[in-house]
Amino acid sequence: MMSLKNTIYIMVVLSLLAISVPASATSLPTDHQEFTYAATYYFNVDFYGYPVYFPSWAQEHVWDRHVLGYERDYKEKTTFYPLGQYIAGRKLPETMDGYDMVYLIEETIEYGRPEFDGNRVVLTYELPDYEASYYGIEEMKAVIQEEEYDGYIYFEVITAYPIYGPDVAVYENHHWIN
């Protein structure tokens, strides 16, 4: 049986350890909050002069699929933003946060190479070297869709995700391929 003195000693040591261990700079809930806030209130990009919106259902899809890894086993291939999250037993690098995700999605829409497919546009963006080395993402892809309401044309984000880079994790056919 442990004495009261030993119990107090252990509690003091554990308290000191808890104080001296630095906390993570960000957390996944914080990143999610930043992502949804920026995507809802600060997302501001045009495509060929038409406004682009990032609806909440698309925000949810991007976060759930390309950050949390939902449906990774039902799809042939999924790539992930490097936010330091754990997915399928693997810890991903932490080179960006939720605000950075929205920024890169805007950059992809603004500067990406468009491929038109009916009312959908697939945009591929090769990040400049300084951004690629900072984020660990060399190429991004975004899919937007043309919509019309009462004669007013606009676009909506359907999805956006990293393609490759040193910190982009790729899950394919039920296992990690990098």
Side-chain angles (χ1 to χ4, degrees):
M1 189 136 112
M2 194 180 296
S3 71
L4 180 60
K5 183 178 177 182
N6 286 342
T7 303
I8 292 172
Y9 175 76
I10 290 171
M11 290 175 63
V12 168
V13 168
L14 290 174
S15 297
L16 290 173
L17 284 173
I19 292 170
S20 66
V21 175
S24 173
T26 60
S27 67
L28 210 50
T30 300
D31 288 331
H32 181 255
Q33 184 178 13
E34 292 171 353
F35 172 73
T36 56
Y37 187 81
T40 302
Y41 297 107
Y42 291 111
F43 187 81
N44 185 17
V45 66
D46 289 340
F47 180 72
Y48 286 104
Y50 296 102
V52 179
Y53 298 100
F54 200 167
S56 59
W57 58 265
Q59 294 173 32
E60 185 177 325
H61 161 76
V62 169
W63 187 264
D64 288 350
R65 176 87 190 277
H66 300 286
V67 174
L68 300 179
Y70 292 174
E71 296 185 356
R72 70 181 176 278
D73 287 319
Y74 301 110
K75 304 290 183 173
E76 185 177 319
K77 181 178 179 180
T78 302
T79 58
F80 298 95
Y81 290 97
L83 272 73
Q85 69 273 38
Y86 284 91
I87 300 172
R90 179 177 175 185
K91 180 164 181 9
L92 277 54
E94 186 174 354
T95 60
M96 61 188 321
D97 61 23
Y99 291 125
D100 296 327
M101 286 178 60
V102 173
Y103 170 76
L104 287 181
I105 293 167
E106 287 177 324
E107 292 276 299
T108 302
I109 294 166
E110 188 169 359
Y111 301 114
R113 184 181 66 253
E115 293 179 31
F116 296 88
D117 183 15
N119 64 345
R120 282 197 175 188
V121 183
V122 178
L123 298 141
T124 305
Y125 176 56
E126 293 181 23
L127 280 71
D129 289 340
Y130 71 93
E131 281 186 333
S133 64
Y134 184 78
Y135 295 119
I137 297 172
E138 294 176 6
E139 188 173 299
M140 286 277 299
K141 195 165 283 233
V143 179
I144 60 175
Q145 181 167 304
E146 183 181 335
E147 299 289 342
E148 184 179 346
Y149 179 76
D150 200 24
Y152 176 72
I153 295 175
Y154 61 96
F155 287 85
E156 286 186 337
V157 173
I158 303 299
T159 190
Y161 51 92
I163 298 296
Y164 68 86
D167 293 328
V168 175
V170 181
Y171 192 83
E172 187 172 7
N173 294 326
H174 308 289
H175 67 280
W176 295 105
I177 63 168
N178 65 342

